[in-house]
Amino acid sequence: MSERAGGGTGESTVSTYEMKQLEQQNNRLRDTLVRMRDLSAHEKHEFQKLQKDLDQKKSEIAELARTKEKLSSRVEEMEHQIADLQEQVDAALGAEEMVQQLADSKLTLEERVKDLEEAVADLEALQDMNEQLQEGSRELEVELREEVDLAHFATREAQREKEAALETLADREMTIAKFRELVQRMQEQSQELQHQLERESSKPVSALPEILDFK
């Protein structure tokens, strides 16, 4: 109060500085919320992209499985044909030319069966690879969900800090209002005491120093 009476403005400077500091803090919190929102949108976009790729891989695997079933059926058919041809060879041992033709046909069919078996093995390898990709996609999905949860938690923390700052501002405004009311009452009491002294002493009393309003 003596510093205010001497013309000082320290209290106003401190309040202005605190207000600017709180405004800067609010700006930083707002920037953090914007970055969190952008990060969440980017992660959502990446997750949707991975989900789309996973659906495409599942469709390809289903098509490969159908192809595998067709090839397996064809292999069984070829094996039946080989068995039939073998029976024909056994039944036509007296016809050397026919035996030779059947032997050539058998070799051709065996080569085709070998090619089909290799194709089936490749399809099985592709299926194993797809299962590994699906497992990796599931792990990535879990990681992305954890990152999104962390981002949401950080957003909630920032919101709580903002609310606490606003509550602090409200408390300070209330304190200032109460202090002003106290100063007003003290001024009124001072004036009343001054008038009382003048009445009792019948002499004028020098005015007390003026109490300035606090900002």
Side-chain angles (χ1 to χ4, degrees):
M1 290 173 63
S2 58
E3 183 178 357
R4 293 291 298 173
T9 58
E11 185 68 25
S12 177
T13 303
V14 171
S15 298
T16 304
Y17 172 76
E18 290 176 348
M19 287 294 295
K20 289 182 178 180
Q21 194 173 30
L22 288 174
E23 288 176 356
Q24 292 176 358
Q25 183 177 2
N26 286 337
N27 291 332
R28 288 195 296 270
L29 291 174
R30 188 180 300 109
D31 294 339
T32 301
L33 289 175
V34 172
R35 288 195 297 270
M36 290 297 177
R37 182 190 62 191
D38 295 340
L39 176 60
S40 178
H42 176 70
E43 291 175 345
K44 181 178 180 181
H45 175 71
E46 290 295 328
F47 177 76
Q48 291 175 350
K49 182 179 178 182
L50 288 174
Q51 187 66 37
K52 183 179 179 181
D53 293 340
L54 180 60
D55 293 338
Q56 184 177 0
K57 293 296 183 183
K58 288 181 178 178
S59 178
E60 293 176 359
I61 287 300
E63 184 63 27
L64 291 175
R66 288 192 294 269
T67 305
K68 178 184 175 183
E69 291 177 358
K70 291 179 181 179
L71 292 176
S72 299
S73 177
R74 184 60 177 167
V75 168
E76 292 178 359
E77 182 180 355
M78 291 297 179
E79 289 176 350
H80 290 312
Q81 291 181 5
I82 291 174
D84 294 339
L85 291 174
Q86 187 65 45
E87 292 176 0
Q88 293 177 14
V89 169
D90 294 338
L93 291 177
E96 183 178 356
E97 183 178 357
M98 185 176 183
V99 169
Q100 185 64 36
Q101 292 176 354
L102 291 174
D104 295 340
S105 178
K106 178 182 178 182
L107 291 175
T108 302
L109 290 174
E110 286 177 350
E111 290 177 357
R112 292 182 63 184
V113 169
K114 183 178 179 181
D115 294 338
L116 291 173
E117 289 175 349
E118 291 177 355
V120 170
D122 293 339
L123 290 174
E124 290 176 349
L126 287 175
Q127 186 173 4
D128 293 338
M129 185 181 299
N130 178 72
E131 291 176 354
Q132 294 176 0
L133 288 174
Q134 288 181 343
E135 182 66 24
S137 298
R138 285 192 291 270
E139 293 177 357
L140 181 59
E141 179 180 355
V142 172
E143 293 176 358
L144 289 175
R145 289 185 184 277
E146 291 177 353
E147 292 179 1
V148 169
D149 292 338
L150 290 176
H152 289 167
F153 175 77
T155 302
R156 290 192 295 270
E157 286 296 322
Q159 184 65 28
R160 280 196 292 269
E161 292 178 2
K162 178 181 178 182
E163 292 175 355
L166 293 176
E167 184 177 353
T168 301
L169 286 175
D171 292 340
R172 290 185 181 181
E173 289 294 334
M174 185 180 297
T175 301
I176 290 172
K178 291 181 179 179
F179 186 72
R180 284 178 175 173
E181 293 177 359
L182 177 60
V183 169
Q184 181 66 29
R185 288 197 301 271
M186 291 177 66
Q187 284 180 332
E188 294 174 355
Q189 292 176 3
S190 175
Q191 292 177 358
E192 180 65 26
L193 288 174
Q194 183 178 349
H195 294 325
Q196 184 178 356
L197 286 174
E198 290 177 351
R199 288 194 301 271
E200 292 178 357
S201 63
S202 300
K203 294 180 180 180
V205 178
S206 59
L208 294 176
E210 181 182 359
I211 299 178
L212 299 178
D213 187 16
F214 285 88
K215 303 216 173 166

